[in-house]
Amino acid sequence: MRAQQPESGGTTDVPVNPAVGRLVFGWLLVGAPLAYGVITTLSRVGQLFQ
Amino acid sequence: MNWLDRSRSLAPPGFNRWLIPPAALAVHLCIGQAYATSVYKSALIGHFEVSQTAIGVIFSIAIVMLGLSAAFMGTWVERSGPRKSMFVAATFWGAGFLVGAAGIFTGQLWLLYLGYGFIGGIGLGIGYISPVSTLMKWFPDRPGMATGMAIMGFGGGALIASPMSTALLKAFDGFDPLTDGADWIASGASVGKLFLTLGVVYFLVMMYGVANIRVPAPGWKPRGWDETKTRSSAMVTTAHVSAANAIKTRSFWLLWAALFLNVTAGIGILEQASPMIQDFFRGADGNSAVNAAVAAGFVGMLSIGNMAGRFVWSSTSDVIGRKRIYMVYLGIGALFYVVLAFLGGGSMLLFVAMAVVIISFYGGSFATAPAYLKDLFGTFQVGAIHGRLLTAWSAAGIAGPLIVNGLLDAQGKPGTMVAGNYLPVLLTMVVLLVIGFVATTMIRPVDARFHEPEEELASATPKGH
């Protein structure tokens, strides 16, 4: 994968491995259920102002 | 198991730090289920044929164990590193559900106390503090945002667990909307199956966090981050204080008091959310303009406010400072409670808006606390200090409901009260918040006599931050 912005890794500057696949999987794993919970809750909240 | 050791979780050069928040969230989203126990409360009351209090005790044991395990295991968590402590948390949390399920299937309530309450509660406490200090080390430029992301997960966990548990209970019971009415209550057997399912699923999701958590290498810092800018404030220390010394400082106990008072006041609304909105809009004929379904929508709105406040306000604290944001939580919070008490009954929109902001401050105070501790005491044992601070939560969990229920019991019976009956409760919360505001203004940088000597730090710092 293409290296992006460098960050300090200890005493030397090392390019950051973006690890796109792991990043997308990780954020989907936590983001998808959270989105499900928020949308389900908001659908109930809608009744408040009907 | 060597792979759980701190030294084995050291990040390689070039590691992307944005992989850490999902690992932390995987833990907090799972343990946040603790806020969704009301979903099966009626089913358990029917299954065991006991009172509401007998079932409510399960949650109380879990929250007390959360505070105690966070306080007493905090130093171990700091020493062992996030991977080992998250693994222990996953094991206790998952095992708690399995032992609880055994209690449900065999009709032994004490097993439910032992499983979900005692064993699961230990998982809650260790899981809550495990990833927090690691996140702050990966995001020294934005510690409030980092801890806000993880602790937001604890608020969001209930948003997921509540509808998911309802759907699973209906599936296990073979719920039929045509024959089962709105007053359907799940069977005990289906709650037992739910516990088995949750125990396994939560363990696996938390293991994702265990496998992917990393500690930064010594000396690591984000590119372009100027440490001196962050530490330009007198309230941000460059020194480090041990957990043993932190609890000897006045600032720790002032922050403990501020958190305790803010959480106590927040619980005042959370505890009574559903009956409160119905009572506030009760007409002269005794009927409320708000039915149970609408009140449930209000409770959902509070959950979203609680979750969003954790991220938004904690991130804001990176810009305006921890002390100022706590003054907002307590000062503006007190003001909004006054508005709610005197004007809330006149407008549904105003009532909901005030309540949601107050609850967002409640969540924000939890999420900002670790970053505030880091500012005051450094990163040396911030996880352990955070664990000790969380006893304020346990104490508020006992004090808040006692105050609210005690004052409301003196006002009348549930289902017959109106907005005016809530004045004593709400004005008591205002007094608590004002005291908390004064406590916050008194927080000062920690005296140098509590700082760890440099040579002690060098010998005590484990490999990896």
Side-chain angles (χ1 to χ4, degrees), chain A residues 3-22:
Chain A
Q4 289 183 331
Q5 80 230 45
E7 286 188 0
S8 299
T11 54
T12 56
D13 278 352
V14 178
V16 172
N17 175 6
V20 175
R22 287 174 63 201

Side-chain angles (χ1 to χ4, degrees), chain B residues 13 16 19 32 35 41 50 213 246 248 252-254 275-276 309 327 343 373 393 407 409 419:
Chain B
N16 187 344
L19 288 165
Y35 275 147
K41 191 175 179 184
V50 290
I213 196 78
K248 294 175 189 165
F252 175 85
W253 290 107
L254 288 169
M276 187 175 171
M327 288 164 77
L343 303 173
L373 293 172
W393 183 4
L407 289 171
D409 282 347

Side-chain angles (χ1 to χ4, degrees), chain A residues 2 6 10-14 16 18-19 21-26 29-30 32 35-36 39 41-42 44-47 50:
Chain A
R2 190 171 61 88
T11 54
T12 56
D13 278 352
V14 178
V16 172
R22 287 174 63 201
L23 203 61
V24 169
F25 177 78
L29 182 76
V30 295
Y36 159 75
I39 290 165
T41 306
L42 280 177
R44 279 194 295 150
V45 171
Q47 296 180 61
Q50 279 175 1

